[in-house]
Amino acid sequence: MRMAAVCLFLLAGSLSASAANGDRFNCKDLIVTPTDLYWARLEVVSESDATVKIISREDEGEGYVNTLAAVANEVQSFWIKNEATNSDTGKTYKIIGIGDKAFIGMEELVEVVSLGDYIEFVEYQAFKGCPKLEAVNLPEGLKTIGNEAFWNCNSLYCTYNGNTYDDKLYLPSTLQRIGQQAFQNCPALKAVAFNDGLEYIDRWGFAYCTQLTDVELPNTVDVNGGVFAHCDNVKSITTGMSW
């Protein structure tokens, strides 16, 4: 009986140390700026695959110091580490996504140097309303950009590539879908290099990008209505699809 009780105790301990899909935890020193390191809030995407996504800083919980939430309106530049370790379980996870509203409304943010090497998706309103954001790193492996992900990023015009700013927004070769209003009202955006293999751009994906000029879409892409609505400087759209 005593041995059975010990076995049950050990089993319970091992179960409590494992996480499940949807579980959340805070991770120290995950967001890197030129001057400091900050906590981030994570959600388990797949426990079996050991993958997580960064979620809204407004849900970081209490009792944590040096959080991004505390300096959200001061940070001008940051990059994200590739992996995060749950301090409670000791397990390490790959960061594969930027979740809903993770970096929404960062008033002074100018550049995102790196989202990490494993990023596959950027979700709803992840960077919405970052008025000074000029450049963002969109890594190979990225598959989807969600609804309103970069809506109202008034200064966004290019991709950050290593140590240089490119002259246009380059979409990675792995990108498949761009969500509704993903880049709406990005008036500084002058050119987009659409990737071969892009499958779908949802309604109003680039609406009110008033400085866009010529647009060349791949033959693979399907579009919903109004993708380039109110883009008054677009002189030509090369594709077989209607828009």
Side-chain angles (χ1 to χ4, degrees), residues 211-222:
Q211 291 197 63
L212 269 180
T213 53
D214 294 343
V215 172
E216 183 175 353
L217 295 174
N219 293 328
T220 54
V221 71
D222 191 6

Side-chain angles (χ1 to χ4, degrees), residues 148-180:
E148 303 178 22
F150 293 94
W151 190 15
N152 279 357
C153 289
N154 306 114
S155 302
L156 182 66
Y157 75 95
C158 66
T159 306
Y160 186 88
N161 182 17
N163 294 318
T164 61
Y165 281 11
D166 293 316
D167 60 353
K168 63 178 65 175
L169 187 73
Y170 286 91
L171 301 179
S173 66
T174 51
L175 188 65
Q176 299 170 359
R177 298 178 66 87
I178 297 174
Q180 181 173 309

Side-chain angles (χ1 to χ4, degrees), residues 11 22-23 28-29 45 62 78 89 101 103 107 116 132-133 138 142 149-150 154 180 208-209 211 223 237 241:
L11 178 60
D23 282 359
K28 184 179 180 181
D29 297 346
V45 176
E62 299 178 358
F78 72 80
T89 66
K101 301 182 179 182
F103 301 108
E107 295 178 358
K132 295 184 180 180
L133 180 61
L138 299 176
L142 180 66
F150 293 94
N154 306 114
Q180 181 173 309
Y208 292 95
C209 291
Q211 291 197 63
V223 297
I237 299 177
M241 296 293 178

Side-chain angles (χ1 to χ4, degrees), residues 24-33 36-42 53-72 75 78-81 84-88 95 102-103 106:
R24 297 178 173 186
F25 63 93
N26 288 335
C27 184
K28 184 179 180 181
D29 297 346
L30 196 64
I31 309 295
V32 184
T33 76
D36 214 337
L37 299 143
Y38 295 95
W39 291 83
R41 184 73 166 159
L42 300 168
K53 65 181 179 179
I54 295 177
I55 61 174
S56 172
R57 61 183 185 271
E58 302 303 329
D59 191 27
E60 288 176 331
E62 299 178 358
Y64 290 89
V65 297
N66 226 33
T67 63
L68 188 65
V71 295
V75 170
F78 72 80
W79 61 277
I80 302 169
K81 294 182 179 179
T85 300
N86 186 333
S87 59
D88 292 331
I95 301 171
F103 301 108
M106 295 184 67

